[in-house]
Amino acid sequence: MNLKQLSDMLALSQTTVSRALNGYPEVSEETRRRVADAAKRHGYRPNPSARRLATGKAGMIGYVMPTGAAVDIDPHFVEFLSGLGDYARGHELDLVLSPADADEEETTYRRVVANKQVDAVYVSSPRPADRRVSLLNQLGIPFIVHGRSEGLDFDYAFLDIDNEAAFHDAARLLVQLGHTRVALINGDLGETFAILRERGARRALAASGLALAPERMRSAAMTEENGFRAATSLLQGDAPPTAILCSSLIMALGVVRAIRDLGLSIPGDVSVIAHDDVFPWLKPENFSVPLTTTRSSIRAAGQRIAERLAAKISGLESDPRGEVWPVDLVVRGSIAGAKS
């Protein structure tokens, strides 16, 4: 079915149908739903070239994806991408991935924008004063950041979870349980989320006159092996921690393995709290001891970012608005009072 046939069937102009499919604000929600339902029912998909000619829009969301020998496939990214795809699939949007070495990201962004390949882009894993965010702001393309970049002198659109409050609340709970030797196994401290998580834990400990000692901190890519190595070194050191805060469930797999291999128990010897991005294939309640977690769905974040990018493309959202989601603290069996 082509656009004319779909328009004739709905008794609407081709312009109205095209605008409804591309999210233009002047089309009513009722008409938009009617057109979308008919398009889905009859298998209609707009021709990309025709859509660009008719609307000036490509119907594409862009992402510059870091590649190279030092870049691993991150399960967090895959889950986020699944959420973004869930929304894009139902709203006639496609995703364009542009691979780039770490030192060529800015060049790739310039090329993508200059070639008008995409209508909007998103940025992930932001760092303080992130040059990618500054560049996109200068280039004038609609964009949104998954996370936040501190140290910029302009407002920009972002979606983030409240990492600082999440790890503040988790550390405070451990202090309330009598733990004075709390360790933090964090993600890459070059990224803002990890900085905020450390800040939250420090603030909670300081409120009780405690400190997050340097010897009780580890930072690395969030893999199972890094979690194992970090926990092993912490627990074999002098005055080992009685509680560990961990920045991901994937790292927590290694933490639990290290505790078991050292002949220790959870929570008898070590209490553990991890961050849970709500993976369907890795659930905290299915650990040998159900894990207490700070919880926020990264898949839902992907869906929301796609929704906001679609709104930016259609003109429904134009302000550089930040959005911060609260994080749940879910208490399970992996924490207990500190041994006296």
Side-chain angles (χ1 to χ4, degrees):
M1 177 173 285
N2 60 33
L3 180 64
K4 183 177 186 306
Q5 292 169 326
L6 182 62
S7 303
D8 290 344
M9 184 187 70
L10 292 168
L12 296 170
S13 72
Q14 293 183 48
T15 299
T16 298
V17 171
S18 177
R19 288 178 178 275
L21 290 172
N22 287 282
Y24 277 71
E26 56 265 36
V27 179
S28 71
E29 188 58 35
E30 180 183 352
T31 299
R32 196 186 324 277
R33 282 199 301 268
R34 182 178 163 221
V35 171
D37 289 346
K40 183 177 180 180
R41 191 165 58 251
H42 294 281
Y44 172 78
R45 287 186 63 85
N47 178 280
S49 298
R51 175 165 57 187
R52 185 187 291 276
L53 287 171
T55 67
K57 305 293 183 183
M60 303 283 190
I61 294 171
Y63 177 67
V64 174
M65 183 173 67
T67 59
V71 178
D72 296 321
I73 297 176
D74 186 348
H76 302 86
F77 171 70
V78 174
E79 189 65 14
F80 173 86
L81 202 61
S82 297
L84 192 148
D86 288 342
Y87 184 91
R89 184 182 64 249
H91 292 80
E92 299 296 338
L93 290 170
D94 290 305
L95 179 65
V96 176
L97 299 179
S98 299
D101 288 333
D103 58 352
E104 295 181 353
E105 282 188 84
E106 292 185 38
T107 301
T108 305
Y109 277 115
R110 291 183 185 276
R111 174 175 57 79
V112 167
V113 173
N115 292 344
K116 298 183 179 179
Q117 295 173 275
V118 299
D119 301 313
V121 299
Y122 78 91
V123 176
S124 65
S125 304
R127 296 173 176 269
D130 199 304
R131 293 173 58 181
R132 297 171 299 170
V133 180
S134 297
L135 175 63
L136 291 170
N137 189 59
Q138 294 168 8
L139 294 175
I141 188 172
F143 72 93
I144 188 167
V145 179
H146 180 214
R148 275 176 281 180
S149 176
E150 297 183 316
L152 298 173
D153 60 359
F154 57 89
D155 295 328
Y156 58 92
F158 69 82
L159 171 67
D160 198 7
I161 64 172
D162 198 339
N163 287 289
E164 182 173 349
F167 274 60
H168 172 274
D169 292 349
R172 182 176 60 184
L173 176 58
L174 292 172
V175 171
Q176 290 170 344
L177 289 170
H179 293 277
T180 58
R181 302 198 306 272
V182 177
L184 172 63
I185 300 177
N186 209 346
D188 180 359
L189 273 178
E191 297 182 19
T192 310
F193 84 90
I195 295 171
L196 292 172
R197 289 179 182 181
E198 180 185 325
R199 189 181 298 169
R202 282 188 182 280
R203 185 161 55 87
L205 292 169
S208 296
L210 303 172
L212 185 59
E215 62 271 19
R216 296 200 186 105
M217 293 175 56
R218 299 291 186 274
S219 173
M222 295 190 293
T223 67
E224 190 269 352
E225 183 62 23
N226 284 340
F228 174 79
R229 291 177 180 177
T232 299
S233 67
L234 286 166
L235 293 168
Q236 288 182 328
D238 296 332
T242 61
I244 294 176
L245 286 169
C246 182
S247 260
S248 85
L249 276 186
I250 296 171
M251 288 184 111
L253 288 169
V255 171
V256 171
R257 177 161 64 95
I259 293 171
R260 183 187 64 236
D261 286 359
L262 291 170
L264 302 174
S265 67
I266 302 173
D269 298 301
V270 187
S271 290
V272 178
I273 299 179
H275 182 70
D276 175 18
D277 283 300
V278 194
F279 297 116
W281 42 269
L282 181 61
K283 297 183 181 297
E285 57 268 31
N286 291 341
F287 277 62
S288 55
V289 177
L291 285 186
T292 295
T293 59
T294 57
R295 181 180 64 186
S296 183
S297 169
I298 197 170
R299 191 182 189 110
Q303 293 172 332
R304 178 58 178 156
I305 281 182
E307 180 183 25
R308 288 189 61 185
L309 285 173
K312 285 182 173 294
I313 292 169
S314 66
L316 289 172
E317 179 181 322
S318 58
D319 59 318
R321 174 167 50 88
E323 185 174 341
V324 180
W325 288 1
V327 178
D328 298 326
L329 178 59
V330 183
V331 178
R332 300 186 180 91
S334 65
I335 60 173
K339 287 183 176 180
S340 55

